[in-house]
Amino acid sequence: MAAVSATPVRQPLYLIDASLYVFRAWHSMPNEFQDNQGWPVNAVHGFARFLLDLLERERPRHIAVAFDEALDSCFRHALYPPYKANRDPAPDELRRQFAHCKALCAALGLDVLADREYEADDLIGSALQAGHQHTLRGVIVSADKDLSQLLLEHDEQWDYARNQRWGAAGVKARHGVHAHQMADYLALCGDAVDNIPGVSGIGTKSAAVLLAHFGSLDALLERIDEVPFLRLRGAATMAVRLREQREQVLLFRQLTTIAVHAPLANAQPAFVRSPADADMLGGLCEALRFGPLTRRRLLAVAGIESPSSPANEFA
């Protein structure tokens, strides 16, 4: 009798939406933390705590951390200048801290993904696709609903702060549409966070009903004549708006669709974690004035032997 070969276990590839956690720390941590030059580093300290907690808890072998460098230079701005125009620019104090957070990840041997034309979502999408080619399953660490469109059968998204996880099958329960429909859904109902207005008169519930019936935005636009006959309040008006705003909604879908071809030239194969840089990590600990407990934790997750503790380490 021939032996039945077991299905290989897919190793997790952790893809961290860093900006979300840097901003969260910036707004939640007290501004009493300063580096050795007197600049605030509260966001760095908060991000370091999050990162340490994740590394200690999961001990990932495959991991990449995506940062937003394309705050005002993303390809989407060329397509639609109002894209994210409702956001205030990051102050210099925060921009410095983003640079420190990237340096900290690099010192710990984590792949840092950043690009001037592609956003963190695009870098995560591209890394996930590359990970699938190495038979990895994605674990997207973010609460951002946009990223749910990337989930395939073995992937999951993890809202770390709420400790909630869901896979592709769980997207419909959260948003009313399937994972592969999320870009169409956001194009129809809009996304206020990114300053995408959507089709006037179509909200989240209407968009979900339309996609449940037609399956996709393309099918909806091909069969607009059917819309007035749906059991949906204001259906006739929606059909008129869809005809009037056909080009706009197709443009909005270009904005809401996550790119999966962003450059990842400097990443390690399969995003395998590299050895930590002890000198760089030590220099960051000094410059950012991390306390002794944080330093010990950083050295531990980096696999670096901790020097003997001074007598006043808890002072």
Side-chain angles (χ1 to χ4, degrees):
M1 181 176 177
V4 178
S5 60
T7 303
V9 176
R10 290 175 176 261
Q11 294 298 312
L13 165 60
Y14 293 85
L15 298 167
I16 300 174
D17 182 9
S19 298
L20 174 68
Y21 298 97
V22 177
F23 276 114
R24 182 169 291 170
W26 166 258
H27 290 294
S28 63
M29 294 288 288
N31 58 7
E32 62 192 35
F33 297 96
Q34 295 182 337
D35 65 16
N36 57 8
Q37 297 181 21
W39 286 85
V41 286
N42 57 324
V44 187
H45 281 247
F47 178 74
R49 293 181 186 182
F50 150 74
L51 190 61
L52 280 167
D53 190 50
L54 185 144
L55 294 175
E56 291 168 347
R57 179 175 174 176
E58 301 297 309
R59 301 181 181 277
R61 172 169 169 76
H62 307 272
I63 183 170
V65 189
F67 287 85
D68 269 320
E69 280 191 352
L71 296 176
D72 53 10
S73 60
C74 172
F75 72 91
R76 293 179 178 86
H77 289 93
L79 293 171
Y80 184 66
Y83 181 69
K84 292 189 176 180
N86 54 336
R87 301 190 187 188
D88 294 328
D92 289 341
E93 293 87 346
L94 181 55
R95 287 180 180 271
R96 287 175 59 93
Q97 296 197 62
F98 267 104
H100 289 319
C101 290
K102 284 192 283 189
L104 181 63
C105 292
L108 290 171
L110 315 181
D111 268 319
V112 174
L113 309 179
D115 191 86
R116 289 289 297 167
E117 293 186 20
Y118 293 92
E119 297 179 83
D121 287 4
D122 304 314
L123 297 165
I124 288 173
S126 303
L128 179 60
Q129 187 174 79
H132 287 159
Q133 295 173 4
H134 291 276
T135 324
L136 300 173
R137 64 178 183 89
V139 180
I140 301 173
V141 184
S142 175
D144 190 344
K145 62 182 181 297
D146 301 17
L147 289 161
S148 290
Q149 67 183 266
L150 297 171
L151 301 177
L152 297 181
E153 180 184 1
H154 300 284
D155 305 318
E156 64 179 339
Q157 190 169 347
W158 185 8
D159 181 346
Y160 195 84
R162 296 183 178 88
N163 196 27
Q164 295 177 353
R165 298 186 186 226
W166 60 93
V171 175
K172 194 171 192 301
R174 301 179 68 86
H175 303 293
V177 295
H178 296 291
H180 69 272
Q181 296 174 315
M182 280 298 296
D184 288 356
Y185 169 76
L186 293 170
L188 283 166
C189 66
D191 187 352
V193 174
D194 291 343
N195 205 35
I196 300 172
V199 177
S200 54
I202 296 183
T204 55
K205 292 182 179 179
S206 301
V209 170
L210 290 169
L211 289 172
H213 183 83
F214 293 100
S216 69
L217 176 60
D218 291 327
L220 167 61
L221 294 177
E222 288 175 5
R223 297 158 55 193
I224 291 178
D225 290 345
E226 299 176 30
V227 174
F229 301 99
L230 296 179
R231 302 180 76 175
L232 181 62
R233 185 176 180 180
T237 302
M238 288 180 197
V240 173
R241 296 288 183 264
L242 283 164
R243 286 194 183 93
E244 293 174 342
Q245 301 173 34
R246 177 188 178 90
E247 297 306 315
Q248 290 97 311
V249 74
L250 290 173
L251 170 61
F252 297 155
R253 187 173 61 180
Q254 287 184 269
L255 304 177
T256 59
T257 300
I258 293 175
V260 293
H261 54 266
L264 304 170
N266 296 324
Q268 294 295 316
F271 308 96
V272 174
R273 193 169 165 188
S274 302
D277 186 325
D279 292 337
M280 184 178 179
L281 188 59
L284 284 169
C285 285
E286 290 296 323
L288 300 172
R289 299 174 64 187
F290 283 133
L293 176 58
T294 300
R295 294 187 188 211
R296 283 203 305 275
R297 293 177 69 192
L298 286 168
L299 292 174
V301 299
I304 300 170
E305 186 176 349
S306 177
S308 56
S309 303
N312 64 343
E313 66 172 356
F314 293 103

PDB file of all heavy atoms in Angstrom, residues 295-310:
ATOM      1  N   ARG A 295      16.393  47.325  26.585  1.00  0.00           N
ATOM      2  CA  ARG A 295      17.670  46.907  25.989  1.00  0.00           C
ATOM      3  C   ARG A 295      17.855  45.400  26.106  1.00  0.00           C
ATOM      4  O   ARG A 295      18.272  44.737  25.154  1.00  0.00           O
ATOM      5  CB  ARG A 295      18.838  47.633  26.667  1.00  0.00           C
ATOM      6  CG  ARG A 295      18.846  49.138  26.430  1.00  0.00           C
ATOM      7  CD  ARG A 295      20.103  49.760  26.982  1.00  0.00           C
ATOM      8  NE  ARG A 295      20.038  51.221  26.923  1.00  0.00           N
ATOM      9  CZ  ARG A 295      21.078  52.016  26.756  1.00  0.00           C
ATOM     10  NH1 ARG A 295      22.290  51.485  26.628  1.00  0.00           N
ATOM     11  NH2 ARG A 295      20.946  53.319  26.725  1.00  0.00           N
ATOM     12  N   ARG A 296      17.547  44.852  27.282  1.00  0.00           N
ATOM     13  CA  ARG A 296      17.708  43.413  27.471  1.00  0.00           C
ATOM     14  C   ARG A 296      16.777  42.638  26.541  1.00  0.00           C
ATOM     15  O   ARG A 296      17.155  41.613  25.970  1.00  0.00           O
ATOM     16  CB  ARG A 296      17.440  43.034  28.932  1.00  0.00           C
ATOM     17  CG  ARG A 296      18.585  43.355  29.884  1.00  0.00           C
ATOM     18  CD  ARG A 296      18.518  42.491  31.146  1.00  0.00           C
ATOM     19  NE  ARG A 296      17.208  42.632  31.790  1.00  0.00           N
ATOM     20  CZ  ARG A 296      16.883  43.600  32.650  1.00  0.00           C
ATOM     21  NH1 ARG A 296      17.771  44.530  32.953  1.00  0.00           N
ATOM     22  NH2 ARG A 296      15.695  43.650  33.197  1.00  0.00           N
ATOM     23  N   ARG A 297      15.555  43.124  26.398  1.00  0.00           N
ATOM     24  CA  ARG A 297      14.597  42.453  25.518  1.00  0.00           C
ATOM     25  C   ARG A 297      15.067  42.514  24.057  1.00  0.00           C
ATOM     26  O   ARG A 297      14.949  41.526  23.325  1.00  0.00           O
ATOM     27  CB  ARG A 297      13.215  43.084  25.663  1.00  0.00           C
ATOM     28  CG  ARG A 297      12.567  42.865  27.014  1.00  0.00           C
ATOM     29  CD  ARG A 297      11.230  43.597  27.090  1.00  0.00           C
ATOM     30  NE  ARG A 297      10.219  42.993  26.207  1.00  0.00           N
ATOM     31  CZ  ARG A 297       9.054  43.574  25.908  1.00  0.00           C
ATOM     32  NH1 ARG A 297       8.774  44.779  26.389  1.00  0.00           N
ATOM     33  NH2 ARG A 297       8.187  42.959  25.111  1.00  0.00           N
ATOM     34  N   LEU A 298      15.592  43.668  23.647  1.00  0.00           N
ATOM     35  CA  LEU A 298      16.090  43.806  22.280  1.00  0.00           C
ATOM     36  C   LEU A 298      17.253  42.859  22.021  1.00  0.00           C
ATOM     37  O   LEU A 298      17.319  42.194  20.973  1.00  0.00           O
ATOM     38  CB  LEU A 298      16.517  45.252  22.008  1.00  0.00           C
ATOM     39  CG  LEU A 298      15.387  46.263  21.814  1.00  0.00           C
ATOM     40  CD1 LEU A 298      15.923  47.693  21.859  1.00  0.00           C
ATOM     41  CD2 LEU A 298      14.669  46.011  20.485  1.00  0.00           C
ATOM     42  N   LEU A 299      18.163  42.785  22.960  1.00  0.00           N
ATOM     43  CA  LEU A 299      19.298  41.880  22.804  1.00  0.00           C
ATOM     44  C   LEU A 299      18.845  40.430  22.771  1.00  0.00           C
ATOM     45  O   LEU A 299      19.381  39.614  22.007  1.00  0.00           O
ATOM     46  CB  LEU A 299      20.297  42.094  23.945  1.00  0.00           C
ATOM     47  CG  LEU A 299      21.041  43.438  23.958  1.00  0.00           C
ATOM     48  CD1 LEU A 299      21.876  43.569  25.232  1.00  0.00           C
ATOM     49  CD2 LEU A 299      21.926  43.570  22.726  1.00  0.00           C
ATOM     50  N   ALA A 300      17.830  40.111  23.574  1.00  0.00           N
ATOM     51  CA  ALA A 300      17.344  38.730  23.624  1.00  0.00           C
ATOM     52  C   ALA A 300      16.705  38.329  22.297  1.00  0.00           C
ATOM     53  O   ALA A 300      17.002  37.251  21.765  1.00  0.00           O
ATOM     54  CB  ALA A 300      16.347  38.578  24.769  1.00  0.00           C
ATOM     55  N   VAL A 301      15.821  39.176  21.743  1.00  0.00           N
ATOM     56  CA  VAL A 301      15.171  38.809  20.477  1.00  0.00           C
ATOM     57  C   VAL A 301      16.168  38.840  19.330  1.00  0.00           C
ATOM     58  O   VAL A 301      15.972  38.175  18.303  1.00  0.00           O
ATOM     59  CB  VAL A 301      13.962  39.716  20.162  1.00  0.00           C
ATOM     60  CG1 VAL A 301      12.906  39.615  21.246  1.00  0.00           C
ATOM     61  CG2 VAL A 301      14.370  41.146  19.918  1.00  0.00           C
ATOM     62  N   ALA A 302      17.262  39.599  19.500  1.00  0.00           N
ATOM     63  CA  ALA A 302      18.300  39.649  18.476  1.00  0.00           C
ATOM     64  C   ALA A 302      19.268  38.483  18.582  1.00  0.00           C
ATOM     65  O   ALA A 302      20.117  38.287  17.706  1.00  0.00           O
ATOM     66  CB  ALA A 302      19.062  40.970  18.572  1.00  0.00           C
ATOM     67  N   GLY A 303      19.174  37.709  19.665  1.00  0.00           N
ATOM     68  CA  GLY A 303      20.081  36.588  19.862  1.00  0.00           C
ATOM     69  C   GLY A 303      21.479  37.029  20.224  1.00  0.00           C
ATOM     70  O   GLY A 303      22.459  36.324  19.949  1.00  0.00           O
ATOM     71  N   ILE A 304      21.582  38.203  20.866  1.00  0.00           N
ATOM     72  CA  ILE A 304      22.880  38.742  21.269  1.00  0.00           C
ATOM     73  C   ILE A 304      23.023  38.585  22.771  1.00  0.00           C
ATOM     74  O   ILE A 304      22.109  38.915  23.530  1.00  0.00           O
ATOM     75  CB  ILE A 304      22.994  40.232  20.882  1.00  0.00           C
ATOM     76  CG1 ILE A 304      22.845  40.399  19.368  1.00  0.00           C
ATOM     77  CG2 ILE A 304      24.313  40.832  21.362  1.00  0.00           C
ATOM     78  CD1 ILE A 304      22.710  41.831  18.929  1.00  0.00           C
ATOM     79  N   GLU A 305      24.160  38.090  23.193  1.00  0.00           N
ATOM     80  CA  GLU A 305      24.379  37.893  24.624  1.00  0.00           C
ATOM     81  C   GLU A 305      24.429  39.241  25.330  1.00  0.00           C
ATOM     82  O   GLU A 305      25.124  40.167  24.911  1.00  0.00           O
ATOM     83  CB  GLU A 305      25.682  37.129  24.855  1.00  0.00           C
ATOM     84  CG  GLU A 305      25.908  36.767  26.321  1.00  0.00           C
ATOM     85  CD  GLU A 305      27.160  35.921  26.517  1.00  0.00           C
ATOM     86  OE1 GLU A 305      27.714  35.453  25.485  1.00  0.00           O
ATOM     87  OE2 GLU A 305      27.557  35.738  27.667  1.00  0.00           O
ATOM     88  N   SER A 306      23.655  39.347  26.398  1.00  0.00           N
ATOM     89  CA  SER A 306      23.595  40.592  27.157  1.00  0.00           C
ATOM     90  C   SER A 306      24.830  40.754  28.018  1.00  0.00           C
ATOM     91  O   SER A 306      25.276  39.795  28.653  1.00  0.00           O
ATOM     92  CB  SER A 306      22.346  40.609  28.045  1.00  0.00           C
ATOM     93  OG  SER A 306      22.304  41.773  28.822  1.00  0.00           O
ATOM     94  N   PRO A 307      25.427  41.963  28.038  1.00  0.00           N
ATOM     95  CA  PRO A 307      26.562  42.190  28.926  1.00  0.00           C
ATOM     96  C   PRO A 307      26.118  42.134  30.377  1.00  0.00           C
ATOM     97  O   PRO A 307      24.934  42.234  30.685  1.00  0.00           O
ATOM     98  CB  PRO A 307      27.033  43.597  28.534  1.00  0.00           C
ATOM     99  CG  PRO A 307      25.829  44.257  27.962  1.00  0.00           C
ATOM    100  CD  PRO A 307      25.059  43.170  27.273  1.00  0.00           C
ATOM    101  N   SER A 308      27.061  41.946  31.259  1.00  0.00           N
ATOM    102  CA  SER A 308      26.720  41.882  32.677  1.00  0.00           C
ATOM    103  C   SER A 308      26.033  43.177  33.093  1.00  0.00           C
ATOM    104  O   SER A 308      26.413  44.273  32.683  1.00  0.00           O
ATOM    105  CB  SER A 308      27.982  41.672  33.515  1.00  0.00           C
ATOM    106  OG  SER A 308      28.919  42.702  33.245  1.00  0.00           O
ATOM    107  N   SER A 309      24.980  43.048  33.893  1.00  0.00           N
ATOM    108  CA  SER A 309      24.161  44.191  34.252  1.00  0.00           C
ATOM    109  C   SER A 309      24.841  45.048  35.294  1.00  0.00           C
ATOM    110  O   SER A 309      25.362  44.534  36.285  1.00  0.00           O
ATOM    111  CB  SER A 309      22.802  43.721  34.791  1.00  0.00           C
ATOM    112  OG  SER A 309      22.155  42.910  33.859  1.00  0.00           O
ATOM    113  N   PRO A 310      24.868  46.381  35.109  1.00  0.00           N
ATOM    114  CA  PRO A 310      25.414  47.252  36.135  1.00  0.00           C
ATOM    115  C   PRO A 310      24.549  47.268  37.361  1.00  0.00           C
ATOM    116  O   PRO A 310      23.344  46.944  37.303  1.00  0.00           O
ATOM    117  CB  PRO A 310      25.447  48.616  35.446  1.00  0.00           C
ATOM    118  CG  PRO A 310      24.378  48.538  34.393  1.00  0.00           C
ATOM    119  CD  PRO A 310      24.377  47.130  33.943  1.00  0.00           C
TER     120      PRO A 310
END
